Amino acid sequence: MALRVLVKGAVNLPAMDRGGTSDPYAKLIYSGKTFQTKTIKKALNPTWNESFEFTVKAPVPGDAALLIRVYDKDFIGKDELIGKVDLLLKEIKKQGYNIDGKYPLVDEDGKPTSGSISLAVQFDDPEREFGEDEADGAEGATEDGNEDEDDEDVEMDDEEDGGGETTTADGGRRRGRSRRRHAAAARKATRRKQRRDDMVTKFPDKELDFQVRVHIIEARRLVSKFQPLDPVVSVFVGNQSRQSRVVQDTDQPYWDEMFFFELKMKPVDIFDQMMRIHVDHSRTFRKNARIGLFELDLGTIYIEDDHAFVHKWLLLTNPAIASQDAKGFLKVSLVVLGPGDPAVQLPQLVMDDQVDIESNLLRPTGAQLQQGVLQVKVFRAEDVPRMDVGFFSGLKSLFTRRKEEIDLVDPYVEISFAGKKARTDYHKENANPEFNQKINLGIRVPSMCERIRVRIIDRDSGLGAINRDDIVGTRYIPLSHISVPGDEGFLPHFGPAYVNLYGAPRKFDITDEYDYLNEGKMEGAAYRGRVLLEIGTTIGPMKGTEPVETLTSDEMVQVVPFLRRRKFVVHAVFFGASMVSEKDGVVEFELSVGNYGNQLDGAAMLQPSTTQALTPTYNGNYYYYMSWNERKPCCRITCQWEDVTHRLEALSVLANTCGRLASGIKRVKELLDFEASAKQCASAVIQVLNVLLDDLAPQNTIQPPDRKSHTTTKLDLKLYEVRKAVMSAVIREATELRDNATDVGEALEKCDELLSRLKALVYEAQNSFPDIVIWMLSSKKRIAFVRIPAYKLLFSKRALARGNLCGECVTVNLKYHGKKGESAKSPQLPAQLRVKMWLGLAEDESDWNKSHELGSIAVFAETYENQSKMPLIGWKDAVGRPNWTGSLGKVSMPREAFKEPDGWTWGGAWDAVPPHSYSGNRDSDIDSFQDDIFEYQMRAPGVNWARSESTFGDVGGNINKEIENLENIEAPPNWQWIDSEWGVDINRAVDEEGWEYTVDDILSGYNPSERVYHLTRRRRWLRSRQKTTKDEKEAEKAQMKAFEMWEYARVFRAEAKYHFKARTFDMARRRRWIRKLVAGPSAGPAHFEFEHKKDIYIESPRMSLVFDQPYSYELRAYVYQARGIRSGDESGMSDAYCRVSFQHRSLQTRVISETVMPTWDETLVFDNLHLCEDPRQMLKNPPEVVVEIFDKDTIAKDDFLGRVGSPVFVHANAGVQPALQWYTIKHLSEESGQLLAAFHLIATSENPAIKMQQLPKPPQTREKKYIVPSGIRPEMQRYRIEMLTWGIRDMKRFQALTIGNPAVQLECCGEIKATEPIEDMKKNPNFQKSTLVFESIYLPKKKIYCPPLNIGVVDHRSFGRKPLVGLHCVRNLERYQYSSALSPPPMSTPKEAREKGKTFSPEAADEPVAVVAEIDPDKKDEEKFDWWSKYYASIGNASAALKVGDYSSTTRIES
């Protein structure tokens, strides 16, 4: 027996230290054995999340208890007791052997404290596992199920012990044990029957009120011939029924729904009343749609403790099928309450596969779960990272005077499934241990648990142990990926194959900032090693099998063929990096796969896997970008892994087939949305099906495993059979659909179903190839990352088997690792990359070299010449760094120290080239620009400002002595002034004259209010200018040549920001030199060696994809409107604006105030874009535009409302216009509205050598904003909207205050109408005047563009406050729009409505009524209609209408 305890945390602990805090830790004691959690410093609400396990010996005493003590850690003196709690094991048994909740702490005297501790305790009792619990479940199934079920349980026990047929010496003892268990089961059944009778007799013999509560939580392992499954749960109690929502496309649905049944019956009848729980496939209501069911009587529930089954699993069966095999598992809580019974408090859900849920199972009579053994062979592990700090090993090397290279990790592997776990032996100081052990776990088949957890753990012990054992990495293997349930399925099998583990970035110190990533609860950001496993399953009891066994020599030999490795190459070209969040330090990007390419850890050979470290450049609006110009950095990694290309190619085939089918379905839906003809839609559907059938043709689809070319496993063969069976069915149904389809809508629904079935096949559990990871590094710290699965980049000679991203230029968004990436406090993207990647065998690398039609790969050595400025002398040797260094200035790299690598030769002499900063000017690639300059004044203490002279400089305080007054400033070459004169910027934190003050601009910041002690002040002057020529690139290059390629900074620093124009206070400059390398026939990996601090520093040469001249483009972002956006203000509205970012440029729209449905109607023009991409290649994977929506705040920082990422529409012809589309706005992972926009990227020159064409600008508004041009903007029609509001009901409190004076506010297309507020909600909750009318409003003709109608409730409060207390958005008005030529829609009469439970009296109606009528501009409304006539006409009661007029097309809007 085992007692498992999860110590989650504690809350509201008393403060034991003087500072008002405590340093708490928890101590657990049972039967003389003690465990202790780690200490959380200075915390009153600590979180531990640590698990412990006690061994419980039978028999268990009645007073056996688990003791929990919480202490305050004192480093001087004895630790103080904060609180304690004791849990009796018999109480844990009564609560179902599993408890989870908060338990109050008491002090030494037993007095309650303010604190409580959260625990989850699980007590594993073998007698309960095979006897008591399952007997309980049987009793719930049928009235006489007790005896049968007890017999069955005893038979299972007999099988485990050898049964009555055994001939061993102890056979008599076993038969005796079996008879004793029969007797125990009979006694238990008698007790339960007696308890049931006692329950009935305590109630009077009359009808009483009972309540039944059913909490439907989740289901697992549902088995059905229907694929994909859309399960729904129906609950029947007496003549009442309830139904859950439908969960689509899953066999593991999650509901979390509560149902209530009110019954009035006699107690003897209520106890015999049956409860039936059905799980059905919702897409069909045929007789055979049943997946499984469970039945039990209410008396079985009532005699339980607290009259409830809490978080129990029900084994589902299907009586219509002869076999009683399990059809799945359903997790529920069932409660029956009678008169005077207190309501049971259901504990919080624990969503963890590692809880022993198999011992918490109810099953009906006749249903059987077979015993089985899950066998996991653990052969070896690789690349386990260092986990210990190495402090003590450093002391050892200090005293012994020799340096030892040891692996500071003591790993072992832990396997956990269904609440049971076992571990291998640990290997001391070994990063690549060989375990060669087999772990055996007893399970039930089929199992309701979904995942097998694989963990590598570092054992901490001895003098150097600081914490408990550390988790290195975690990987979950889904059971559904390695087994298939049902008659034609197979038991879990896996490997031999490596399992890759991911977690936190390696830090090699005692801090644990991101260690929670190693637990597998969030996406791991870094590679943490791998384990070679083989998983198998056998049917039958474990008998005498040991939990951990040593593998035999034959078993170890069988895995040898799976260890063969091949050489792979990974390539990446970085075309651009925009929206870079790190702006203060140097930034570089690292490409890695496993440990290969990892530059910070030093675990693999150094390779050219990083870009050059550069300081990001400001884009003139908000973001920063990397200025790589026409030399795009390249990375190349050579690595060796097992050849699993046959698995990855099969995965790519399925993924590409699903992708093409999804694209086709989306295209047909767009045709329907834009009201294309039926012929066009039908033709598009036929084309989609033809493409699908072509992809599934034998020559294109997945191929059978080839045992001669690859090492195959049993799972490979089984998985191929499953996939072929599904694809054969899809081919058959798709062919029938193509030949017989008559309705486009039905055909689309069937295509969606086929897509879901194919998507269910896109997985590969035995993918041992690690993911490719791109990291953004800043100052040698890992900032953000993106993980790309290897199959998406893998090259294959078969087109459909090639990864969809292989050799393609794609846009990827980086994300922060850990909780920061999911926090609303960090909504900004770390960076957006435009990158081209390729992965393949080394023998196929020629395909990558052929893919560069425009640019050419260049390999060159790079070094920087550094100089410092000396007073009175000028520029001389550098001070503070060597004269020749790398880009970071740390290692001396003189040109003569570069030696030719083996197999390489120099391709020319050293050449000075333009620095990366030369294209970093704020006015680069921009036609118009607002220039600024700061005017500075200084004074002595007590001197007036009027006597101070003005000097002019930049925002950093660099004074330009050549500027004496603003009138003498001339526009730069190729520019002219737009404004006639300079103007003071007062739209900042300044005084009325634009001044801001400070004591000293270096020691303190500026303040808008003047003080006596202020000695410096400044103000900003602005003046706009525009470009007169397009040849700014050539002008800059000529200017750089005149400056001899130097770039300048104030001082030498690693994160210094350089500029190519010298300034007064610049004391440092550097110049970039490169020398080309040419590879020979026998060229190997190239690197250079330099001496650095008595050690050897290795530097890889730089690789670049060099373009002669970029293409010219112009992007037009048509931002029309948004709907349903988040509210950013307390009023419930937002002052919304959009910031549109593309490549290294960003622009923003104007602000639309006080709305959640802003209409910007604005065109943002990004002209003079220079991109090194061919327009023809962009058509397949166009660049992505990022639109971020913000709420403008005048005081605080603007609130982030959501983000949209969309590929642009690429076309060389500006006359081909895109169509506006609705894009979903995402805030973190949640939807927060929709944006109506379009993005058009136009190639202004099809050849880089041709001068770009000038495109006509869109029409402008008075504010000089471009509007969305006709042809793109929606075509409008004039309408009239009428709404009748009766009153307001059931309004909840808002901001702790009741709703007293509400009014209804109607918003559509930026126009707002509101009712008069209700004077007193308590006296009369109806409106005095209930009509809201938009006499004339313009709405789009096409239904896809129809704007939303926002119905809001505003409460009028004191001090003029009018908060929005409720909002309903009618997203589509098209359903309420009827032309006068149409016949009235079928409506219910008032009598029919009353029969359906609807009330239409003015006093009781709580639904607003709206009329959307099309206005004929030639027909005037000559008659006046009263609202009662319109209302009764809208509900179909013509006799009650006095004058109906032409409003027969009215309908109701429910809100």
Side-chain angles (χ1 to χ4, degrees):
M1 292 183 287
L3 183 67
R4 300 186 180 95
V5 185
L6 171 63
V7 185
K8 299 180 180 179
V11 294
N12 300 327
L13 295 180
M16 308 299 289
D17 297 334
R18 292 183 178 180
T21 61
S22 296
D23 303 325
Y25 67 89
K27 184 179 292 186
L28 286 76
I29 306 169
Y30 176 78
S31 187
K33 189 172 183 179
T34 302
F35 288 109
Q36 180 176 319
T37 68
K38 60 186 178 183
T39 302
I40 308 296
K41 293 185 178 181
K42 297 183 179 180
L44 300 179
N45 298 283
T47 299
W48 290 294
N49 284 330
E50 296 186 45
S51 300
F52 308 94
E53 181 173 332
F54 295 92
T55 300
V56 181
K57 297 181 179 180
V60 180
D63 59 348
L66 172 67
L67 311 181
I68 297 99
R69 303 292 184 264
V70 180
Y71 290 93
D72 171 51
K73 183 69 175 180
D74 286 337
F75 295 94
I76 300 177
K78 185 179 179 181
D79 296 347
E80 298 177 86
L81 178 68
I82 298 177
K84 64 179 181 178
V85 62
D86 298 341
L87 299 177
L88 293 174
L89 264 62
K90 64 180 181 180
E91 294 298 328
I92 300 176
K93 283 186 177 183
K94 289 182 180 180
Q95 299 183 41
Y97 290 81
N98 290 275
I99 60 174
D100 187 350
K102 290 183 179 180
Y103 300 91
L105 299 173
V106 298
D107 60 14
E108 291 182 349
D109 300 325
K111 297 180 180 179
T113 68
S114 61
S116 61
I117 187 169
S118 296
L119 302 169
V121 183
Q122 174 188 338
F123 181 31
D124 288 344
D125 187 347
E127 293 185 1
R128 174 251 182 172
E129 181 177 354
F130 293 113
E132 296 179 4
D133 185 69
E134 294 176 0
D136 293 351
E139 285 187 6
T142 58
E143 183 178 353
D144 59 349
N146 309 330
E147 184 177 354
D148 296 340
E149 185 66 20
D150 288 329
D151 290 343
E152 180 187 325
D153 287 334
V154 173
E155 289 174 7
M156 294 174 63
D157 293 326
D158 288 347
E159 291 176 5
E160 182 177 359
D161 295 333
E165 302 297 327
T166 181
T167 58
T168 59
D170 62 344
R173 290 195 300 271
R174 291 187 175 180
R175 284 192 293 269
R177 187 185 304 118
S178 177
R179 287 192 295 270
R180 286 195 297 273
R181 292 193 176 185
H182 274 290
R187 289 194 299 272
K188 180 181 178 183
T190 303
R191 288 195 302 268
R192 292 177 64 88
K193 186 176 184 303
Q194 182 63 43
R195 186 178 180 187
R196 181 182 178 126
D197 295 339
D198 294 342
M199 290 286 185
V200 174
T201 56
K202 82 171 187 177
F203 293 107
D205 187 19
K206 64 177 182 179
E207 290 188 347
L208 300 174
D209 291 322
F210 287 85
Q211 185 184 74
V212 179
R213 301 180 183 181
V214 181
H215 184 199
I216 304 297
I217 303 172
E218 63 174 321
R220 293 186 184 178
R221 313 287 290 173
L222 297 179
V223 180
S224 175
K225 65 180 181 180
F226 300 105
Q227 292 296 332
L229 276 178
D230 294 341
V232 60
V233 177
S234 301
V235 183
F236 301 88
V237 178
N239 59 355
Q240 302 181 40
S241 64
R242 303 288 188 273
Q243 190 176 80
S244 71
R245 71 180 188 278
V246 178
V247 182
Q248 296 183 344
D249 298 341
T250 180
D251 62 350
Q252 300 188 56
Y254 182 80
W255 288 284
D256 192 17
E257 296 186 43
M258 180 76 76
F259 301 132
F260 295 88
F261 298 85
E262 304 293 340
L263 303 175
K264 190 168 186 178
M265 304 175 69
K266 290 184 177 181
V268 65
D269 296 330
I270 197 76
F271 281 18
D272 293 335
Q273 188 68 51
M274 296 299 296
M275 173 189 291
R276 301 191 312 278
I277 302 177
H278 296 187
V279 181
D280 301 310
H281 176 54
S282 68
R283 292 199 180 187
T284 176
F285 291 97
R286 298 193 302 269
K287 186 177 180 179
N288 58 355
R290 181 67 39 77
I291 297 174
L293 62 84
F294 189 91
E295 294 183 337
L296 76 166
D297 58 274
L298 300 184
T300 301
I301 305 173
Y302 197 81
I303 64 174
E304 291 293 314
D305 294 339
D306 296 325
H307 315 304
F309 283 126
V310 179
H311 294 176
K312 292 287 186 180
W313 287 92
L314 309 181
L315 188 147
L316 303 175
T317 59
N318 193 344
I321 302 176
S323 67
Q324 285 292 296
D325 293 338
K327 301 301 178 184
F329 304 90
L330 180 68
K331 188 176 185 179
V332 299
S333 290
L334 308 176
V335 183
V336 178
L337 298 177
D341 293 333
V344 60
Q345 186 69 29
L346 297 179
Q348 185 179 2
L349 290 175
V350 179
M351 306 300 294
D352 189 356
D353 281 348
Q354 305 314 310
V355 176
D356 187 4
I357 56 181
E358 290 191 346
S359 62
N360 200 24
L361 177 67
L362 303 180
R363 57 188 177 92
T365 303
Q368 299 182 7
L369 286 179
Q370 295 178 295
Q371 295 186 61
V373 180
L374 184 71
Q375 300 175 340
V376 183
K377 298 178 182 178
V378 184
F379 296 98
R380 61 179 63 189
E382 293 180 357
D383 304 332
V384 182
R386 187 178 79 188
M387 297 297 292
D388 299 327
V389 181
F391 174 75
F392 294 95
S393 62
L395 288 178
K396 180 181 177 181
S397 63
L398 179 64
F399 289 107
T400 58
R401 295 187 178 182
R402 63 187 182 92
K403 187 176 181 180
E404 293 184 89
E405 293 293 336
I406 60 175
D407 298 323
L408 296 175
V409 63
D410 308 324
Y412 62 87
V413 175
E414 179 188 83
I415 306 297
S416 178
F417 180 72
K420 303 175 179 65
K421 60 185 177 181
R423 45 167 283 188
T424 65
D425 298 333
Y426 82 96
H427 287 241
K428 188 173 182 59
E429 296 177 354
N430 192 346
N432 300 281
E434 292 189 7
F435 300 103
N436 293 325
Q437 290 180 295
K438 179 168 64 175
I439 292 176
N440 301 305
L441 299 176
I443 63 172
R444 296 295 185 87
V445 180
S447 175
M448 72 191 77
C449 300
E450 170 57 19
R451 301 184 300 176
I452 301 172
R453 189 181 71 189
V454 181
R455 243 177 202 171
I456 297 181
I457 302 177
D458 172 44
R459 183 178 183 270
D460 280 349
S461 62
L463 183 61
I466 298 177
N467 298 315
R468 298 186 59 82
D469 293 359
D470 300 318
I471 299 174
V472 178
T474 304
R475 171 74 179 273
Y476 288 95
I477 302 177
L479 215 62
S480 58
H481 289 185
I482 62 175
S483 65
V484 173
D487 297 336
E488 299 180 0
F490 57 90
L491 292 171
H493 286 282
F494 175 91
Y498 275 99
V499 171
N500 301 309
L501 280 67
Y502 297 89
R506 306 183 183 190
K507 295 190 66 175
F508 308 124
D509 55 29
I510 62 175
T511 60
D512 55 356
E513 182 180 2
Y514 297 107
D515 279 3
Y516 55 86
L517 293 178
N518 300 331
E519 299 175 5
K521 297 179 180 179
M522 300 179 66
E523 181 185 7
Y527 174 74
R528 304 281 295 180
R530 58 208 308 248
V531 187
L532 181 60
L533 300 175
E534 182 179 2
I535 299 175
T537 308
T538 60
I539 299 298
M542 285 188 63
K543 297 182 179 179
T545 307
E546 294 295 328
V548 181
E549 299 175 334
T550 302
L551 294 179
T552 64
S553 57
D554 292 339
E555 290 174 319
M556 288 186 278
V557 170
Q558 290 175 358
V559 80
V560 173
F562 296 90
L563 302 180
R564 186 174 69 93
R565 304 197 176 187
R566 300 187 67 181
K567 185 178 180 181
F568 289 86
V569 180
V570 185
H571 284 278
V573 178
F574 293 85
F575 281 82
S578 57
M579 303 181 70
V580 179
S581 59
E582 293 296 314
K583 56 187 178 181
D584 296 328
V586 294
V587 172
E588 56 186 328
F589 294 91
E590 177 193 83
L591 177 72
S592 65
V593 50
N595 280 336
Y596 294 98
N598 190 324
Q599 299 283 5
L600 298 187
D601 298 347
M605 181 181 65
L606 189 66
Q607 301 192 60
S609 60
T610 60
T611 64
Q612 186 181 23
L614 298 174
T615 303
T617 303
Y618 185 56
N619 71 356
N621 184 349
Y622 189 81
Y623 295 109
Y624 287 76
Y625 70 98
M626 305 301 292
S627 54
W628 288 320
N629 310 321
E630 286 79 43
R631 289 181 176 268
K632 306 302 181 183
C634 301
C635 296
R636 181 182 184 273
I637 297 176
T638 303
C639 51
Q640 291 186 339
W641 305 102
E642 300 77 30
D643 186 5
V644 292
T645 54
H646 59 295
R647 296 172 186 160
L648 301 186
E649 286 183 358
L651 201 58
S652 294
V653 168
L654 294 169
N656 291 335
T657 302
C658 291
R660 287 154 66 99
L661 178 57
S663 299
I665 293 174
K666 180 181 178 182
R667 188 164 56 250
V668 177
K669 290 181 178 179
E670 289 176 354
L671 290 176
L672 292 174
D673 289 338
F674 287 98
E675 303 174 8
S677 65
K679 184 177 180 180
Q680 285 180 298
C681 296
S683 177
V685 171
I686 298 300
Q687 183 181 359
V688 169
L689 293 173
N690 285 333
V691 171
L692 174 61
L693 291 173
D694 182 64
D695 289 346
L696 296 179
Q699 67 274 16
N700 295 328
T701 189
I702 61 174
Q703 303 300 314
D706 186 359
R707 299 191 177 187
K708 295 181 180 179
S709 304
H710 301 91
T711 50
T712 58
T713 65
K714 185 176 181 179
L715 181 59
D716 289 328
L717 302 176
K718 292 291 186 180
L719 195 56
Y720 174 76
E721 295 174 1
V722 171
R723 287 170 171 172
K724 288 299 294 183
V726 173
M727 288 190 291
S728 298
V730 170
I731 291 174
R732 183 174 60 255
E733 296 177 25
T735 303
E736 182 181 354
L737 181 64
R738 182 189 60 182
D739 298 339
N740 303 321
T742 58
D743 183 84
V744 173
E746 293 179 359
L748 268 184
E749 184 177 350
K750 185 62 178 178
C751 288
D752 280 328
E753 180 182 336
L754 297 179
L755 176 60
S756 298
R757 292 165 65 177
L758 290 175
K759 280 184 175 179
L761 302 177
V762 185
Y763 63 85
E764 179 53 68
Q766 298 178 129
N767 178 13
S768 59
F769 204 108
D771 293 345
I772 286 79
V773 183
I774 298 178
W775 276 100
M776 182 172 76
L777 312 178
S778 179
S779 302
K780 296 302 179 181
K781 293 182 179 180
R782 299 193 180 275
I783 306 299
F785 78 105
V786 63
R787 272 174 56 184
I788 304 173
Y791 78 90
K792 293 187 176 183
L793 301 174
L794 182 66
F795 170 77
S796 174
K797 296 178 181 179
R798 297 170 54 217
L800 197 61
R802 190 177 305 151
N804 63 326
L805 304 182
C806 178
E808 302 292 340
C809 198
V810 295
T811 302
V812 294
N813 294 327
L814 271 62
K815 55 185 175 182
Y816 295 108
H817 50 286
K819 297 178 181 178
K820 184 178 180 181
E822 299 180 358
S823 172
K825 296 181 180 180
S826 55
Q828 182 179 348
L829 285 177
Q832 185 184 73
L833 296 179
R834 186 72 176 166
V835 62
K836 181 178 180 181
M837 305 181 70
W838 186 94
L839 164 66
L841 292 167
E843 61 192 39
D844 297 327
E845 192 173 8
S846 58
D847 175 78
W848 166 257
N849 298 327
K850 296 175 183 177
S851 65
H852 312 300
E853 298 180 2
L854 301 179
S856 58
I857 296 289
V859 182
F860 54 88
E862 178 187 72
T863 187
Y864 280 82
E865 180 185 3
N866 306 307
Q867 289 186 356
S868 296
K869 189 177 183 180
M870 301 296 179
L872 305 177
I873 299 177
W875 295 101
K876 292 294 182 180
D877 293 344
V879 176
R881 69 167 52 186
N883 292 334
W884 296 87
T885 65
S887 59
L888 297 179
K890 295 182 179 180
V891 181
S892 176
M893 297 182 184
R895 291 183 293 182
E896 58 273 12
F898 285 83
K899 306 299 181 183
E900 293 178 345
D902 294 338
W904 295 77
T905 59
W906 294 118
W910 287 96
D911 186 24
V913 295
H916 293 279
S917 62
Y918 93 91
S919 64
N921 296 321
R922 295 185 298 168
D923 55 3
S924 297
D925 302 332
I926 300 176
D927 281 342
S928 59
F929 184 77
Q930 190 176 54
D931 221 339
D932 65 340
I933 192 169
F934 283 82
E935 178 185 1
Y936 290 88
Q937 288 187 357
M938 298 182 182
R939 68 175 180 181
V943 179
N944 195 291
W945 293 109
R947 299 177 58 183
S948 303
E949 295 184 0
S950 295
T951 55
F952 297 92
D954 59 14
V955 66
N958 299 310
I959 304 300
N960 191 338
K961 296 182 179 179
E962 298 177 358
I963 303 176
E964 297 180 356
N965 54 69
L966 297 176
E967 287 72 16
N968 295 338
I969 300 177
E970 298 181 356
N974 305 319
W975 290 81
Q976 66 180 11
W977 295 116
I978 299 176
D979 299 334
S980 58
E981 59 183 12
W982 292 86
V984 177
D985 181 11
I986 59 173
N987 294 320
R988 302 165 63 239
V990 294
D991 63 13
E992 58 185 5
E993 295 182 357
W995 293 104
E996 51 185 342
Y997 304 84
T998 184
V999 177
D1000 185 273
D1001 60 347
I1002 298 178
L1003 301 178
S1004 61
Y1006 283 87
N1007 193 292
S1009 301
E1010 181 185 359
R1011 297 291 185 267
V1012 177
Y1013 50 79
H1014 285 153
L1015 304 180
T1016 303
R1017 70 174 182 175
R1018 71 177 183 183
R1019 60 180 171 181
R1020 186 185 184 210
W1021 294 83
L1022 301 175
R1023 192 175 184 183
S1024 298
R1025 50 185 166 93
Q1026 67 180 8
K1027 194 175 296 180
T1028 59
T1029 179
K1030 303 297 182 181
D1031 297 332
E1032 93 246 15
K1033 288 285 184 183
E1034 296 300 327
E1036 280 188 8
K1037 289 181 180 179
Q1039 192 174 19
M1040 278 303 307
K1041 190 173 182 180
F1043 292 154
E1044 297 181 340
M1045 306 298 179
W1046 291 102
E1047 56 180 347
Y1048 300 83
R1050 299 187 75 171
V1051 292
F1052 282 125
R1053 289 188 305 164
E1055 63 274 10
K1057 296 184 179 181
Y1058 290 88
H1059 43 271
F1060 70 88
K1061 293 182 180 179
R1063 299 171 182 172
T1064 304
F1065 292 98
D1066 288 339
M1067 305 301 292
R1069 71 176 184 178
R1070 69 178 186 178
R1071 181 164 50 179
R1072 181 173 172 234
W1073 292 81
I1074 64 172
R1075 190 175 187 183
K1076 188 174 182 180
L1077 280 169
V1078 179
S1082 59
H1087 63 270
F1088 305 103
E1089 296 183 357
F1090 305 92
E1091 291 186 3
H1092 179 62
K1093 295 181 179 179
K1094 298 181 180 181
D1095 204 347
I1096 300 298
Y1097 177 80
I1098 300 177
E1099 174 79 3
S1100 297
R1102 298 293 177 186
M1103 297 176 59
S1104 295
L1105 183 61
V1106 182
F1107 294 87
D1108 295 332
Q1109 192 170 357
Y1111 283 84
S1112 298
Y1113 294 87
E1114 179 172 305
L1115 173 70
R1116 297 192 174 185
Y1118 306 108
V1119 183
Y1120 191 70
Q1121 69 175 179
R1123 62 187 183 190
I1125 64 175
R1126 299 167 63 93
S1127 60
D1129 301 332
E1130 293 184 358
S1131 64
M1133 297 295 181
S1134 295
D1135 304 325
Y1137 69 91
C1138 290
R1139 182 182 296 141
V1140 183
S1141 301
F1142 181 73
Q1143 300 291 311
H1144 62 280
R1145 300 268 295 279
S1146 59
L1147 298 173
Q1148 65 187 45
T1149 65
R1150 67 183 187 275
V1151 178
I1152 306 298
S1153 301
E1154 292 295 318
T1155 182
V1156 291
M1157 189 184 66
T1159 300
W1160 293 285
D1161 189 11
E1162 194 167 337
T1163 300
L1164 302 178
V1165 179
F1166 296 76
D1167 52 4
N1168 298 334
L1169 292 171
H1170 301 292
L1171 307 178
C1172 298
E1173 294 185 55
D1174 192 326
R1176 295 167 296 180
Q1177 296 178 350
M1178 279 192 179
L1179 292 176
K1180 186 175 182 181
N1181 288 296
E1184 188 175 284
V1185 172
V1186 177
V1187 182
E1188 295 177 307
I1189 303 176
F1190 293 88
D1191 170 53
K1192 185 69 175 179
D1193 285 340
T1194 55
I1195 301 177
K1197 184 179 180 180
D1198 295 350
D1199 296 325
F1200 175 73
L1201 303 181
R1203 178 181 294 111
V1204 170
S1206 167
V1208 299
F1209 173 75
V1210 182
H1211 206 283
N1213 185 2
V1216 179
Q1217 296 178 334
L1220 293 174
Q1221 297 184 40
W1222 288 106
Y1223 297 97
T1224 301
I1225 302 171
K1226 290 291 188 71
H1227 186 274
L1228 298 180
S1229 58
E1230 299 179 357
E1231 295 186 6
S1232 59
Q1234 290 181 306
L1235 175 71
L1236 184 60
F1239 309 98
H1240 192 187
L1241 184 63
I1242 308 163
T1244 55
S1245 63
E1246 296 185 3
N1247 190 314
I1250 300 177
K1251 187 176 181 180
M1252 57 186 177
Q1253 57 178 320
Q1254 295 295 322
L1255 300 178
K1257 299 295 183 182
Q1260 284 187 330
T1261 62
R1262 293 180 180 178
E1263 296 85 8
K1264 296 183 179 181
K1265 297 285 187 180
Y1266 297 120
I1267 64 173
V1268 177
S1270 59
I1272 298 179
R1273 62 188 301 114
E1275 187 178 354
M1276 311 298 283
Q1277 172 71 43
R1278 194 155 59 99
Y1279 287 84
R1280 172 188 175 94
I1281 298 180
E1282 301 178 355
M1283 179 176 178
L1284 176 61
T1285 56
W1286 297 108
I1288 298 177
R1289 305 289 189 275
D1290 301 328
M1291 292 296 294
K1292 297 181 180 180
R1293 290 173 174 264
F1294 182 78
Q1295 295 177 348
L1297 298 178
T1298 58
I1299 309 302
N1301 305 101
V1304 170
Q1305 186 173 278
L1306 188 67
E1307 179 188 12
C1308 187
C1309 293
E1311 297 188 31
I1312 298 178
K1313 299 288 184 179
T1315 65
E1316 293 294 328
I1318 296 175
E1319 294 183 359
D1320 192 338
M1321 274 282 291
K1322 294 182 179 179
K1323 293 182 178 180
N1324 183 9
N1326 297 330
F1327 294 101
Q1328 297 297 324
K1329 184 179 179 182
S1330 304
T1331 60
L1332 289 177
V1333 181
F1334 289 98
E1335 294 290 348
S1336 178
I1337 191 169
Y1338 285 90
L1339 300 179
K1341 282 187 175 181
K1342 291 186 177 181
K1343 62 180 181 180
I1344 188 176
Y1345 296 139
C1346 192
L1349 178 72
N1350 291 326
I1351 304 173
V1353 178
V1354 178
D1355 191 24
H1356 291 248
R1357 295 183 175 180
S1358 57
F1359 303 104
R1361 294 182 299 126
K1362 299 178 182 179
L1364 183 70
V1365 298
L1367 180 67
H1368 177 73
C1369 181
V1370 182
R1371 287 181 174 265
N1372 192 356
L1373 287 176
E1374 189 269 338
R1375 57 180 295 200
Y1376 307 108
Q1377 176 182 338
Y1378 295 96
S1379 173
S1380 59
L1382 298 176
S1383 60
M1387 306 296 292
S1388 301
T1389 64
K1391 182 179 179 181
E1392 293 172 344
R1394 284 193 295 272
E1395 292 175 353
K1396 296 178 181 179
K1398 295 286 186 179
T1399 304
F1400 290 100
S1401 64
E1403 292 79 10
D1406 58 357
E1407 297 177 350
V1409 177
V1411 180
V1412 183
E1414 184 177 347
I1415 295 178
D1416 186 348
D1418 298 328
K1419 181 178 178 180
K1420 296 183 179 179
D1421 188 9
E1422 298 178 354
E1423 295 183 327
K1424 300 295 183 182
F1425 302 97
D1426 65 284
W1427 265 99
W1428 294 111
S1429 299
K1430 301 173 188 177
Y1431 172 68
Y1432 281 109
S1434 70
I1435 64 172
N1437 191 351
S1439 61
L1442 301 178
K1443 294 181 180 179
V1444 177
D1446 192 20
Y1447 286 92
S1448 59
S1449 62
T1450 59
T1451 186
R1452 293 180 293 109
I1453 297 178
E1454 298 184 359
S1455 64

